[in-house]
Amino acid sequence: MMIGVGYRNELHGWIAARPIECLEVTAEHFYGRNEAVLGELSGQFSLFVHGLGLSFGTPGELDHERLDRFARVVEIARPEWISEHIAFTRTAEVDLGHLNPVKPTRAVARTIAAHSRQVAERCGRPIILENITSHLRIEGELSETDFLNSVCEQADCGLLLDVTNLFINSRNHAFDPLAWLKEIPPGRIKQLHIVGYTIENGRYSDGHAQPIQDELIELARAVVEYAPVRAIILERDTNFPGAMAMEKELGKLAQICGRH
């Protein structure tokens, strides 16, 4: 199992000075820029390419310009796999600019699966899909886990399980994350995301800005014991810690994998 971080410009010097096992690059950060940096990273690390804005949950065709840009990043990065979110970020008329939950119906599952297969075929790489947080618990024909299983089965893909997102949803919507986990076939879970959460006015949220709390470590440990996870990515988008703090975070992840 590989342990790595989400690449950000602010971490470039630290990453260059440490033998990181793998990096996840956000595709949109390299659209039309920083291609030389991306090529350099590709020559040094095992990479994964993670998308934010292909909007698999939007009915109809994918945005061809965005798909072209995404495919260009994949071409340069030569990642082991690619990923996107089980969400939508735009309508036919408006780019919403953030990840939004989809209704868990069979029709939506077919749409997301079809878009996933299209991107995987275009890029020539396996694809995995990520669960998101939602302040609203949207009801539909299927439970969340049945919906995720249906999407993955139809798309013939794996799951990027965001441990923090699962924990946050379990607190905000009052369900047992371990019971939720056991409803996902273990073979589907290929990669994990993890970062500390924030609590404001009794609501949990993920700002990608906090150290990993102990209960997240324990949930990640349960996932690693349950599923053949191939990689764990530590995320941080702001409030970047110093080198020693980053080392401590990665050390916690190594410990749950039985490493020192």
Side-chain angles (χ1 to χ4, degrees), residues 166-178:
L166 171 57
F167 180 85
I168 287 170
N169 284 341
S170 75
R171 290 299 185 267
N172 288 340
H173 305 309
F175 65 86
D176 181 354
L178 294 178

Side-chain angles (χ1 to χ4, degrees), residues 195-211:
V195 65
Y197 59 78
T198 301
I199 306 177
E200 294 181 5
N201 299 320
R203 299 288 291 180
Y204 289 72
S205 63
D206 176 13
H208 284 199
Q210 300 300 323

Side-chain angles (χ1 to χ4, degrees), residues 223-238:
V223 178
V224 168
E225 291 174 351
Y226 174 70
V229 176
R230 293 182 57 193
I232 305 177
I233 292 294
L234 171 64
E235 297 189 289
R236 189 66 76 94
D237 286 338
T238 186

Side-chain angles (χ1 to χ4, degrees), residues 146-162:
D146 285 344
F147 178 72
L148 295 179
N149 291 337
S150 178
V151 169
C152 289
E153 182 177 354
Q154 293 181 63
D156 189 23
C157 73
L159 185 66
L160 195 177
L161 179 57
D162 191 306

Side-chain angles (χ1 to χ4, degrees), residues 101 132-138 165 168-169 172-173 203:
I132 71 167
T133 58
S134 171
H135 288 291
L136 298 175
R137 190 165 191 177
I138 298 177
N165 289 351
I168 287 170
N169 284 341
N172 288 340
H173 305 309
R203 299 288 291 180

